[in-house]
Every structure is written in structure tokens, then in C-alpha cells.
Amino acid sequence: MTRPIDPLIDRVLIDEAQLDARVTAMAAQISAHYQAQGNLVLVGILKGSFIFMADLARRLTIPHRIEFMALSSYGDLSTSSGEVRMMLDLRRPVAGEHVLLVEDIVDTGLTLQYLIENFRARHALSVANCVLLSKPERRKVQVQVDYLGFEIPDVWVVGYGLDYAERFRTLPYIGVLSPSVYLNS
Ligand code: IMP
């Protein structure tokens, strides 16, 4: 069943079928790469990655465990404070494991840069990242994205886990938020 487009969404940027196909392809690529390596841990960055993480993890064909971390760099508004803070750390150490960071979107790159730095001290066998969306025009620091879903333009997107002020996370597609939402808040 297709849900009607929310009136606060300007347009659908990536629909459910496109998300499904891309996440399936990414999972196949990741499974092929880590097949021979063993000891894979997916680290989902909350909250935005939770739906992507659930879909990706269920399509992997290799054993893995799941961890989550929560970081914060945005308040309720769509502007970055530029400061990344850890709100929730891993429950178990990752020393001796292959870490795959799972992120919803890379915007300025500051969050991913923080994560890459932070994992240097954790003695993982390897650290790579898997990001659903990237806005290359917005980059403030250069970070390497290892597995990327889609490049998108500089627009505020919501749905499939991504929010605006905690709203719209459960839309089944990636939609462009109507500017009327943030111009009126
Ligand atoms: P960065 O540190 O600037 O790369 O920002 C990464 C974080 O900003 C993401 O994990 C999201 O939480 C948030 N973010 C950036 N752009 C968007 C967007 O268009 N929609 C929803 N969240 C976004």
C-alpha cells in the first residue's frame, strides 16, 4: 500500500522502490567484501540510521552483530552547530572486529570525521563506513565515504529515518521538506 505524500513534503526525491534496490545492492557489496574477513560489527548512528540499518542488516548474507551509538550535532533546527557530541556509546568494545559505521547522511562531514577519529583509539581490525545519502555541496571537511547510497542536492530531506525537529522519520520514502515548515518554525 502506498501512503499519500504528506502535504508538508514538496516532492519525493527517492521512492521506496529505489531505496529497496539500492540498499539490496549495497548489502550484496558489503557481504561480498566481508565474507572472508569475519567478525563484522555494524555500528548504527542514532537516530537517523535506524531504518536504513534495519533494512541493510536484514539483507546481509554474512554473520554480523549490531551496535548503536548516538551523536548530536543538530538541535531542532536545520543548521549545524558544528559541534559533535557523543550521547550514547557502544555497549561492548570492538577491539579485534571489523567495524562498519552506518550513517543516514553526510552533510558537512563533521560527524563522520569525528567518528573516524573516535574509532582510531578502539583497536578495531578495520573501520569503514556505509552512508545512505551524501550532500557533496555542503562539505566543510573532506571525508571518505566507503559505501554510498545516493548523492543528493543541497535540500533538507526527511523520511526513511531522517527527521526535521523529530518529525517525518517514518515516511517510507526520502522527501524534500517544504520550506514552509522551517520558515514558519
Ligand atoms: P554533518 O556532521 O554535517 O555531516 O551532519 C550529519 C548529520 O546531520 C546527519 O547524521 C543528520 O542527522 C543531519 N542532517 C544533515 N542533513 C540532513 C537532512 O537533509 N535531513 C535530516 N538530517 C540531516
Side-chain angles (χ1 to χ4, degrees), residues 4-40:
I5 295 178
D6 192 296
L8 298 174
I9 303 301
D10 260 359
R11 65 182 200 277
V12 174
L13 193 63
I14 306 169
D15 68 22
E16 287 180 73
Q18 290 171 300
L19 284 167
D20 184 67
R22 189 71 195 113
V23 175
T24 300
M26 292 170 89
Q29 205 188 345
I30 291 164
S31 298
H33 177 80
Y34 288 98
Q35 184 135 38
Q37 322 255 359
N39 290 353
L40 174 63

PDB file of all heavy atoms in Angstrom, residues 4-40:
ATOM      1  N   PRO A   4      -0.125   8.248   0.922  1.00  0.00           N
ATOM      2  CA  PRO A   4      -0.160   9.508   0.182  1.00  0.00           C
ATOM      3  C   PRO A   4       0.977  10.413   0.632  1.00  0.00           C
ATOM      4  O   PRO A   4       1.446  10.323   1.759  1.00  0.00           O
ATOM      5  CB  PRO A   4      -1.520  10.114   0.546  1.00  0.00           C
ATOM      6  CG  PRO A   4      -1.945   9.421   1.787  1.00  0.00           C
ATOM      7  CD  PRO A   4      -1.272   8.092   1.816  1.00  0.00           C
ATOM      8  N   ILE A   5       1.434  11.263  -0.257  1.00  0.00           N
ATOM      9  CA  ILE A   5       2.516  12.183   0.083  1.00  0.00           C
ATOM     10  C   ILE A   5       2.006  13.214   1.089  1.00  0.00           C
ATOM     11  O   ILE A   5       0.931  13.757   0.937  1.00  0.00           O
ATOM     12  CB  ILE A   5       3.060  12.860  -1.180  1.00  0.00           C
ATOM     13  CG1 ILE A   5       3.700  11.798  -2.074  1.00  0.00           C
ATOM     14  CG2 ILE A   5       4.080  13.940  -0.840  1.00  0.00           C
ATOM     15  CD1 ILE A   5       4.225  12.342  -3.361  1.00  0.00           C
ATOM     16  N   ASP A   6       2.802  13.415   2.128  1.00  0.00           N
ATOM     17  CA  ASP A   6       2.458  14.379   3.161  1.00  0.00           C
ATOM     18  C   ASP A   6       2.394  15.780   2.532  1.00  0.00           C
ATOM     19  O   ASP A   6       3.249  16.128   1.722  1.00  0.00           O
ATOM     20  CB  ASP A   6       3.576  14.308   4.225  1.00  0.00           C
ATOM     21  CG  ASP A   6       3.222  15.034   5.497  1.00  0.00           C
ATOM     22  OD1 ASP A   6       3.066  16.265   5.426  1.00  0.00           O
ATOM     23  OD2 ASP A   6       3.100  14.376   6.539  1.00  0.00           O
ATOM     24  N   PRO A   7       1.415  16.596   2.911  1.00  0.00           N
ATOM     25  CA  PRO A   7       1.320  17.942   2.320  1.00  0.00           C
ATOM     26  C   PRO A   7       2.524  18.830   2.642  1.00  0.00           C
ATOM     27  O   PRO A   7       2.746  19.849   1.974  1.00  0.00           O
ATOM     28  CB  PRO A   7       0.033  18.519   2.919  1.00  0.00           C
ATOM     29  CG  PRO A   7      -0.321  17.641   4.061  1.00  0.00           C
ATOM     30  CD  PRO A   7       0.294  16.300   3.808  1.00  0.00           C
ATOM     31  N   LEU A   8       3.295  18.457   3.665  1.00  0.00           N
ATOM     32  CA  LEU A   8       4.471  19.267   4.022  1.00  0.00           C
ATOM     33  C   LEU A   8       5.724  18.821   3.265  1.00  0.00           C
ATOM     34  O   LEU A   8       6.805  19.355   3.472  1.00  0.00           O
ATOM     35  CB  LEU A   8       4.715  19.205   5.532  1.00  0.00           C
ATOM     36  CG  LEU A   8       3.555  19.771   6.368  1.00  0.00           C
ATOM     37  CD1 LEU A   8       3.787  19.551   7.841  1.00  0.00           C
ATOM     38  CD2 LEU A   8       3.369  21.266   6.074  1.00  0.00           C
ATOM     39  N   ILE A   9       5.555  17.841   2.380  1.00  0.00           N
ATOM     40  CA  ILE A   9       6.679  17.366   1.570  1.00  0.00           C
ATOM     41  C   ILE A   9       6.519  17.922   0.160  1.00  0.00           C
ATOM     42  O   ILE A   9       5.488  17.720  -0.480  1.00  0.00           O
ATOM     43  CB  ILE A   9       6.693  15.816   1.525  1.00  0.00           C
ATOM     44  CG1 ILE A   9       6.765  15.221   2.939  1.00  0.00           C
ATOM     45  CG2 ILE A   9       7.836  15.314   0.647  1.00  0.00           C
ATOM     46  CD1 ILE A   9       7.963  15.626   3.743  1.00  0.00           C
ATOM     47  N   ASP A  10       7.543  18.619  -0.307  1.00  0.00           N
ATOM     48  CA  ASP A  10       7.494  19.233  -1.648  1.00  0.00           C
ATOM     49  C   ASP A  10       7.484  18.187  -2.752  1.00  0.00           C
ATOM     50  O   ASP A  10       6.723  18.272  -3.696  1.00  0.00           O
ATOM     51  CB  ASP A  10       8.716  20.137  -1.853  1.00  0.00           C
ATOM     52  CG  ASP A  10       8.373  21.597  -1.636  1.00  0.00           C
ATOM     53  OD1 ASP A  10       7.192  21.882  -1.355  1.00  0.00           O
ATOM     54  OD2 ASP A  10       9.294  22.432  -1.742  1.00  0.00           O
ATOM     55  N   ARG A  11       8.396  17.222  -2.641  1.00  0.00           N
ATOM     56  CA  ARG A  11       8.448  16.176  -3.653  1.00  0.00           C
ATOM     57  C   ARG A  11       9.197  14.952  -3.119  1.00  0.00           C
ATOM     58  O   ARG A  11       9.981  15.068  -2.168  1.00  0.00           O
ATOM     59  CB  ARG A  11       9.126  16.680  -4.927  1.00  0.00           C
ATOM     60  CG  ARG A  11      10.587  17.047  -4.777  1.00  0.00           C
ATOM     61  CD  ARG A  11      11.157  17.585  -6.093  1.00  0.00           C
ATOM     62  NE  ARG A  11      12.607  17.512  -6.123  1.00  0.00           N
ATOM     63  CZ  ARG A  11      13.424  18.404  -5.584  1.00  0.00           C
ATOM     64  NH1 ARG A  11      12.928  19.448  -4.945  1.00  0.00           N
ATOM     65  NH2 ARG A  11      14.734  18.252  -5.665  1.00  0.00           N
ATOM     66  N   VAL A  12       8.919  13.819  -3.736  1.00  0.00           N
ATOM     67  CA  VAL A  12       9.645  12.598  -3.380  1.00  0.00           C
ATOM     68  C   VAL A  12      10.958  12.619  -4.165  1.00  0.00           C
ATOM     69  O   VAL A  12      10.954  12.719  -5.393  1.00  0.00           O
ATOM     70  CB  VAL A  12       8.823  11.345  -3.730  1.00  0.00           C
ATOM     71  CG1 VAL A  12       9.643  10.078  -3.497  1.00  0.00           C
ATOM     72  CG2 VAL A  12       7.541  11.297  -2.912  1.00  0.00           C
ATOM     73  N   LEU A  13      12.067  12.514  -3.436  1.00  0.00           N
ATOM     74  CA  LEU A  13      13.376  12.530  -4.099  1.00  0.00           C
ATOM     75  C   LEU A  13      13.809  11.104  -4.441  1.00  0.00           C
ATOM     76  O   LEU A  13      14.328  10.848  -5.528  1.00  0.00           O
ATOM     77  CB  LEU A  13      14.395  13.189  -3.167  1.00  0.00           C
ATOM     78  CG  LEU A  13      15.726  13.593  -3.747  1.00  0.00           C
ATOM     79  CD1 LEU A  13      15.545  14.663  -4.822  1.00  0.00           C
ATOM     80  CD2 LEU A  13      16.650  14.136  -2.642  1.00  0.00           C
ATOM     81  N   ILE A  14      13.582  10.180  -3.490  1.00  0.00           N
ATOM     82  CA  ILE A  14      13.951   8.778  -3.701  1.00  0.00           C
ATOM     83  C   ILE A  14      12.771   7.932  -3.200  1.00  0.00           C
ATOM     84  O   ILE A  14      12.408   8.014  -2.018  1.00  0.00           O
ATOM     85  CB  ILE A  14      15.236   8.418  -2.915  1.00  0.00           C
ATOM     86  CG1 ILE A  14      16.368   9.399  -3.263  1.00  0.00           C
ATOM     87  CG2 ILE A  14      15.655   6.980  -3.207  1.00  0.00           C
ATOM     88  CD1 ILE A  14      17.577   9.299  -2.346  1.00  0.00           C
ATOM     89  N   ASP A  15      12.162   7.181  -4.093  1.00  0.00           N
ATOM     90  CA  ASP A  15      10.948   6.457  -3.678  1.00  0.00           C
ATOM     91  C   ASP A  15      11.297   5.090  -3.073  1.00  0.00           C
ATOM     92  O   ASP A  15      12.476   4.681  -3.041  1.00  0.00           O
ATOM     93  CB  ASP A  15       9.935   6.364  -4.829  1.00  0.00           C
ATOM     94  CG  ASP A  15      10.417   5.477  -5.975  1.00  0.00           C
ATOM     95  OD1 ASP A  15      11.295   4.614  -5.766  1.00  0.00           O
ATOM     96  OD2 ASP A  15       9.905   5.653  -7.105  1.00  0.00           O
ATOM     97  N   GLU A  16      10.290   4.388  -2.611  1.00  0.00           N
ATOM     98  CA  GLU A  16      10.513   3.122  -1.895  1.00  0.00           C
ATOM     99  C   GLU A  16      11.217   2.087  -2.756  1.00  0.00           C
ATOM    100  O   GLU A  16      12.077   1.355  -2.274  1.00  0.00           O
ATOM    101  CB  GLU A  16       9.165   2.561  -1.429  1.00  0.00           C
ATOM    102  CG  GLU A  16       8.574   3.334  -0.286  1.00  0.00           C
ATOM    103  CD  GLU A  16       7.232   2.750   0.137  1.00  0.00           C
ATOM    104  OE1 GLU A  16       7.237   1.675   0.752  1.00  0.00           O
ATOM    105  OE2 GLU A  16       6.211   3.368  -0.158  1.00  0.00           O
ATOM    106  N   ALA A  17      10.855   2.011  -4.018  1.00  0.00           N
ATOM    107  CA  ALA A  17      11.469   1.004  -4.899  1.00  0.00           C
ATOM    108  C   ALA A  17      12.951   1.313  -5.114  1.00  0.00           C
ATOM    109  O   ALA A  17      13.795   0.402  -5.122  1.00  0.00           O
ATOM    110  CB  ALA A  17      10.735   0.975  -6.239  1.00  0.00           C
ATOM    111  N   GLN A  18      13.271   2.588  -5.265  1.00  0.00           N
ATOM    112  CA  GLN A  18      14.683   2.978  -5.444  1.00  0.00           C
ATOM    113  C   GLN A  18      15.485   2.676  -4.174  1.00  0.00           C
ATOM    114  O   GLN A  18      16.625   2.197  -4.256  1.00  0.00           O
ATOM    115  CB  GLN A  18      14.782   4.470  -5.773  1.00  0.00           C
ATOM    116  CG  GLN A  18      14.264   4.844  -7.151  1.00  0.00           C
ATOM    117  CD  GLN A  18      14.194   6.361  -7.299  1.00  0.00           C
ATOM    118  OE1 GLN A  18      13.491   7.053  -6.557  1.00  0.00           O
ATOM    119  NE2 GLN A  18      14.933   6.892  -8.249  1.00  0.00           N
ATOM    120  N   LEU A  19      14.900   2.967  -3.016  1.00  0.00           N
ATOM    121  CA  LEU A  19      15.583   2.679  -1.753  1.00  0.00           C
ATOM    122  C   LEU A  19      15.826   1.178  -1.625  1.00  0.00           C
ATOM    123  O   LEU A  19      16.934   0.740  -1.293  1.00  0.00           O
ATOM    124  CB  LEU A  19      14.735   3.166  -0.568  1.00  0.00           C
ATOM    125  CG  LEU A  19      14.742   4.675  -0.314  1.00  0.00           C
ATOM    126  CD1 LEU A  19      13.636   5.059   0.662  1.00  0.00           C
ATOM    127  CD2 LEU A  19      16.098   5.132   0.226  1.00  0.00           C
ATOM    128  N   ASP A  20      14.796   0.411  -1.915  1.00  0.00           N
ATOM    129  CA  ASP A  20      14.883  -1.038  -1.784  1.00  0.00           C
ATOM    130  C   ASP A  20      16.002  -1.601  -2.677  1.00  0.00           C
ATOM    131  O   ASP A  20      16.843  -2.391  -2.231  1.00  0.00           O
ATOM    132  CB  ASP A  20      13.527  -1.637  -2.156  1.00  0.00           C
ATOM    133  CG  ASP A  20      13.514  -3.133  -1.961  1.00  0.00           C
ATOM    134  OD1 ASP A  20      13.603  -3.561  -0.799  1.00  0.00           O
ATOM    135  OD2 ASP A  20      13.454  -3.864  -2.969  1.00  0.00           O
ATOM    136  N   ALA A  21      16.031  -1.148  -3.929  1.00  0.00           N
ATOM    137  CA  ALA A  21      17.017  -1.665  -4.881  1.00  0.00           C
ATOM    138  C   ALA A  21      18.436  -1.283  -4.459  1.00  0.00           C
ATOM    139  O   ALA A  21      19.370  -2.097  -4.508  1.00  0.00           O
ATOM    140  CB  ALA A  21      16.722  -1.132  -6.284  1.00  0.00           C
ATOM    141  N   ARG A  22      18.588  -0.035  -4.012  1.00  0.00           N
ATOM    142  CA  ARG A  22      19.948   0.438  -3.670  1.00  0.00           C
ATOM    143  C   ARG A  22      20.458  -0.237  -2.395  1.00  0.00           C
ATOM    144  O   ARG A  22      21.626  -0.631  -2.314  1.00  0.00           O
ATOM    145  CB  ARG A  22      19.925   1.970  -3.514  1.00  0.00           C
ATOM    146  CG  ARG A  22      21.274   2.589  -3.381  1.00  0.00           C
ATOM    147  CD  ARG A  22      22.078   2.554  -4.683  1.00  0.00           C
ATOM    148  NE  ARG A  22      23.470   2.840  -4.422  1.00  0.00           N
ATOM    149  CZ  ARG A  22      24.464   1.957  -4.568  1.00  0.00           C
ATOM    150  NH1 ARG A  22      24.237   0.757  -5.050  1.00  0.00           N
ATOM    151  NH2 ARG A  22      25.693   2.286  -4.268  1.00  0.00           N
ATOM    152  N   VAL A  23      19.589  -0.356  -1.390  1.00  0.00           N
ATOM    153  CA  VAL A  23      20.013  -0.984  -0.126  1.00  0.00           C
ATOM    154  C   VAL A  23      20.351  -2.459  -0.367  1.00  0.00           C
ATOM    155  O   VAL A  23      21.325  -2.981   0.174  1.00  0.00           O
ATOM    156  CB  VAL A  23      18.931  -0.801   0.974  1.00  0.00           C
ATOM    157  CG1 VAL A  23      19.305  -1.558   2.239  1.00  0.00           C
ATOM    158  CG2 VAL A  23      18.757   0.688   1.289  1.00  0.00           C
ATOM    159  N   THR A  24      19.581  -3.108  -1.222  1.00  0.00           N
ATOM    160  CA  THR A  24      19.869  -4.510  -1.558  1.00  0.00           C
ATOM    161  C   THR A  24      21.243  -4.626  -2.231  1.00  0.00           C
ATOM    162  O   THR A  24      22.044  -5.506  -1.899  1.00  0.00           O
ATOM    163  CB  THR A  24      18.761  -5.068  -2.488  1.00  0.00           C
ATOM    164  OG1 THR A  24      17.524  -4.968  -1.798  1.00  0.00           O
ATOM    165  CG2 THR A  24      19.014  -6.508  -2.882  1.00  0.00           C
ATOM    166  N   ALA A  25      21.530  -3.698  -3.155  1.00  0.00           N
ATOM    167  CA  ALA A  25      22.827  -3.733  -3.856  1.00  0.00           C
ATOM    168  C   ALA A  25      23.977  -3.451  -2.891  1.00  0.00           C
ATOM    169  O   ALA A  25      25.036  -4.099  -2.954  1.00  0.00           O
ATOM    170  CB  ALA A  25      22.821  -2.711  -5.000  1.00  0.00           C
ATOM    171  N   MET A  26      23.770  -2.493  -1.984  1.00  0.00           N
ATOM    172  CA  MET A  26      24.827  -2.177  -1.011  1.00  0.00           C
ATOM    173  C   MET A  26      25.085  -3.381  -0.099  1.00  0.00           C
ATOM    174  O   MET A  26      26.241  -3.701   0.213  1.00  0.00           O
ATOM    175  CB  MET A  26      24.429  -0.972  -0.150  1.00  0.00           C
ATOM    176  CG  MET A  26      24.371   0.325  -0.926  1.00  0.00           C
ATOM    177  SD  MET A  26      23.639   1.644   0.039  1.00  0.00           S
ATOM    178  CE  MET A  26      25.080   2.301   0.857  1.00  0.00           C
ATOM    179  N   ALA A  27      24.027  -4.045   0.321  1.00  0.00           N
ATOM    180  CA  ALA A  27      24.178  -5.210   1.206  1.00  0.00           C
ATOM    181  C   ALA A  27      24.951  -6.327   0.498  1.00  0.00           C
ATOM    182  O   ALA A  27      25.782  -7.008   1.115  1.00  0.00           O
ATOM    183  CB  ALA A  27      22.804  -5.700   1.661  1.00  0.00           C
ATOM    184  N   ALA A  28      24.700  -6.481  -0.795  1.00  0.00           N
ATOM    185  CA  ALA A  28      25.411  -7.526  -1.553  1.00  0.00           C
ATOM    186  C   ALA A  28      26.900  -7.191  -1.636  1.00  0.00           C
ATOM    187  O   ALA A  28      27.766  -8.067  -1.472  1.00  0.00           O
ATOM    188  CB  ALA A  28      24.807  -7.644  -2.950  1.00  0.00           C
ATOM    189  N   GLN A  29      27.195  -5.928  -1.892  1.00  0.00           N
ATOM    190  CA  GLN A  29      28.595  -5.475  -1.989  1.00  0.00           C
ATOM    191  C   GLN A  29      29.315  -5.660  -0.645  1.00  0.00           C
ATOM    192  O   GLN A  29      30.443  -6.159  -0.589  1.00  0.00           O
ATOM    193  CB  GLN A  29      28.560  -3.983  -2.365  1.00  0.00           C
ATOM    194  CG  GLN A  29      29.782  -3.478  -3.063  1.00  0.00           C
ATOM    195  CD  GLN A  29      29.732  -1.951  -3.215  1.00  0.00           C
ATOM    196  OE1 GLN A  29      28.680  -1.323  -3.055  1.00  0.00           O
ATOM    197  NE2 GLN A  29      30.866  -1.359  -3.519  1.00  0.00           N
ATOM    198  N   ILE A  30      28.638  -5.278   0.424  1.00  0.00           N
ATOM    199  CA  ILE A  30      29.225  -5.395   1.766  1.00  0.00           C
ATOM    200  C   ILE A  30      29.409  -6.874   2.131  1.00  0.00           C
ATOM    201  O   ILE A  30      30.463  -7.280   2.644  1.00  0.00           O
ATOM    202  CB  ILE A  30      28.341  -4.654   2.801  1.00  0.00           C
ATOM    203  CG1 ILE A  30      28.432  -3.141   2.553  1.00  0.00           C
ATOM    204  CG2 ILE A  30      28.742  -4.989   4.230  1.00  0.00           C
ATOM    205  CD1 ILE A  30      27.343  -2.321   3.214  1.00  0.00           C
ATOM    206  N   SER A  31      28.424  -7.690   1.839  1.00  0.00           N
ATOM    207  CA  SER A  31      28.524  -9.129   2.139  1.00  0.00           C
ATOM    208  C   SER A  31      29.711  -9.740   1.404  1.00  0.00           C
ATOM    209  O   SER A  31      30.476 -10.531   1.974  1.00  0.00           O
ATOM    210  CB  SER A  31      27.245  -9.862   1.725  1.00  0.00           C
ATOM    211  OG  SER A  31      26.143  -9.372   2.442  1.00  0.00           O
ATOM    212  N   ALA A  32      29.871  -9.364   0.137  1.00  0.00           N
ATOM    213  CA  ALA A  32      30.974  -9.918  -0.661  1.00  0.00           C
ATOM    214  C   ALA A  32      32.315  -9.495  -0.076  1.00  0.00           C
ATOM    215  O   ALA A  32      33.242 -10.298   0.048  1.00  0.00           O
ATOM    216  CB  ALA A  32      30.850  -9.456  -2.111  1.00  0.00           C
ATOM    217  N   HIS A  33      32.404  -8.237   0.347  1.00  0.00           N
ATOM    218  CA  HIS A  33      33.684  -7.742   0.864  1.00  0.00           C
ATOM    219  C   HIS A  33      34.065  -8.402   2.187  1.00  0.00           C
ATOM    220  O   HIS A  33      35.216  -8.766   2.411  1.00  0.00           O
ATOM    221  CB  HIS A  33      33.648  -6.220   1.037  1.00  0.00           C
ATOM    222  CG  HIS A  33      34.916  -5.687   1.635  1.00  0.00           C
ATOM    223  ND1 HIS A  33      36.059  -5.490   0.879  1.00  0.00           N
ATOM    224  CD2 HIS A  33      35.251  -5.385   2.923  1.00  0.00           C
ATOM    225  CE1 HIS A  33      37.034  -5.061   1.678  1.00  0.00           C
ATOM    226  NE2 HIS A  33      36.572  -4.985   2.917  1.00  0.00           N
ATOM    227  N   TYR A  34      33.079  -8.533   3.092  1.00  0.00           N
ATOM    228  CA  TYR A  34      33.410  -9.012   4.443  1.00  0.00           C
ATOM    229  C   TYR A  34      33.319 -10.538   4.593  1.00  0.00           C
ATOM    230  O   TYR A  34      33.639 -11.069   5.654  1.00  0.00           O
ATOM    231  CB  TYR A  34      32.518  -8.329   5.489  1.00  0.00           C
ATOM    232  CG  TYR A  34      32.893  -6.871   5.697  1.00  0.00           C
ATOM    233  CD1 TYR A  34      32.197  -5.862   5.062  1.00  0.00           C
ATOM    234  CD2 TYR A  34      33.968  -6.516   6.516  1.00  0.00           C
ATOM    235  CE1 TYR A  34      32.545  -4.518   5.233  1.00  0.00           C
ATOM    236  CE2 TYR A  34      34.330  -5.182   6.696  1.00  0.00           C
ATOM    237  CZ  TYR A  34      33.608  -4.197   6.052  1.00  0.00           C
ATOM    238  OH  TYR A  34      33.963  -2.883   6.225  1.00  0.00           O
ATOM    239  N   GLN A  35      32.905 -11.208   3.538  1.00  0.00           N
ATOM    240  CA  GLN A  35      32.712 -12.662   3.594  1.00  0.00           C
ATOM    241  C   GLN A  35      33.931 -13.389   4.163  1.00  0.00           C
ATOM    242  O   GLN A  35      33.814 -14.230   5.041  1.00  0.00           O
ATOM    243  CB  GLN A  35      32.439 -13.184   2.186  1.00  0.00           C
ATOM    244  CG  GLN A  35      32.125 -14.655   2.129  1.00  0.00           C
ATOM    245  CD  GLN A  35      30.938 -14.896   1.227  1.00  0.00           C
ATOM    246  OE1 GLN A  35      30.825 -14.235   0.203  1.00  0.00           O
ATOM    247  NE2 GLN A  35      30.065 -15.794   1.614  1.00  0.00           N
ATOM    248  N   ALA A  36      35.093 -13.017   3.648  1.00  0.00           N
ATOM    249  CA  ALA A  36      36.305 -13.737   4.048  1.00  0.00           C
ATOM    250  C   ALA A  36      36.924 -13.162   5.325  1.00  0.00           C
ATOM    251  O   ALA A  36      37.870 -13.738   5.861  1.00  0.00           O
ATOM    252  CB  ALA A  36      37.315 -13.672   2.911  1.00  0.00           C
ATOM    253  N   GLN A  37      36.416 -12.048   5.803  1.00  0.00           N
ATOM    254  CA  GLN A  37      37.088 -11.361   6.916  1.00  0.00           C
ATOM    255  C   GLN A  37      36.617 -11.828   8.294  1.00  0.00           C
ATOM    256  O   GLN A  37      37.407 -11.899   9.218  1.00  0.00           O
ATOM    257  CB  GLN A  37      36.838  -9.841   6.831  1.00  0.00           C
ATOM    258  CG  GLN A  37      36.836  -9.296   5.437  1.00  0.00           C
ATOM    259  CD  GLN A  37      38.104  -8.534   5.119  1.00  0.00           C
ATOM    260  OE1 GLN A  37      38.968  -8.406   5.968  1.00  0.00           O
ATOM    261  NE2 GLN A  37      38.224  -8.046   3.918  1.00  0.00           N
ATOM    262  N   GLY A  38      35.296 -12.096   8.428  1.00  0.00           N
ATOM    263  CA  GLY A  38      34.750 -12.496   9.738  1.00  0.00           C
ATOM    264  C   GLY A  38      34.638 -11.335  10.708  1.00  0.00           C
ATOM    265  O   GLY A  38      35.072 -10.217  10.414  1.00  0.00           O
ATOM    266  N   ASN A  39      34.039 -11.608  11.879  1.00  0.00           N
ATOM    267  CA  ASN A  39      33.949 -10.629  12.980  1.00  0.00           C
ATOM    268  C   ASN A  39      33.497  -9.235  12.542  1.00  0.00           C
ATOM    269  O   ASN A  39      34.176  -8.253  12.803  1.00  0.00           O
ATOM    270  CB  ASN A  39      35.297 -10.489  13.696  1.00  0.00           C
ATOM    271  CG  ASN A  39      35.660 -11.710  14.495  1.00  0.00           C
ATOM    272  OD1 ASN A  39      34.846 -12.626  14.629  1.00  0.00           O
ATOM    273  ND2 ASN A  39      36.874 -11.755  15.000  1.00  0.00           N
ATOM    274  N   LEU A  40      32.340  -9.167  11.909  1.00  0.00           N
ATOM    275  CA  LEU A  40      31.826  -7.865  11.460  1.00  0.00           C
ATOM    276  C   LEU A  40      30.837  -7.308  12.477  1.00  0.00           C
ATOM    277  O   LEU A  40      29.938  -8.012  12.940  1.00  0.00           O
ATOM    278  CB  LEU A  40      31.132  -8.034  10.096  1.00  0.00           C
ATOM    279  CG  LEU A  40      30.415  -6.813   9.538  1.00  0.00           C
ATOM    280  CD1 LEU A  40      31.388  -5.664   9.260  1.00  0.00           C
ATOM    281  CD2 LEU A  40      29.657  -7.168   8.256  1.00  0.00           C
TER     282      LEU A  40
END
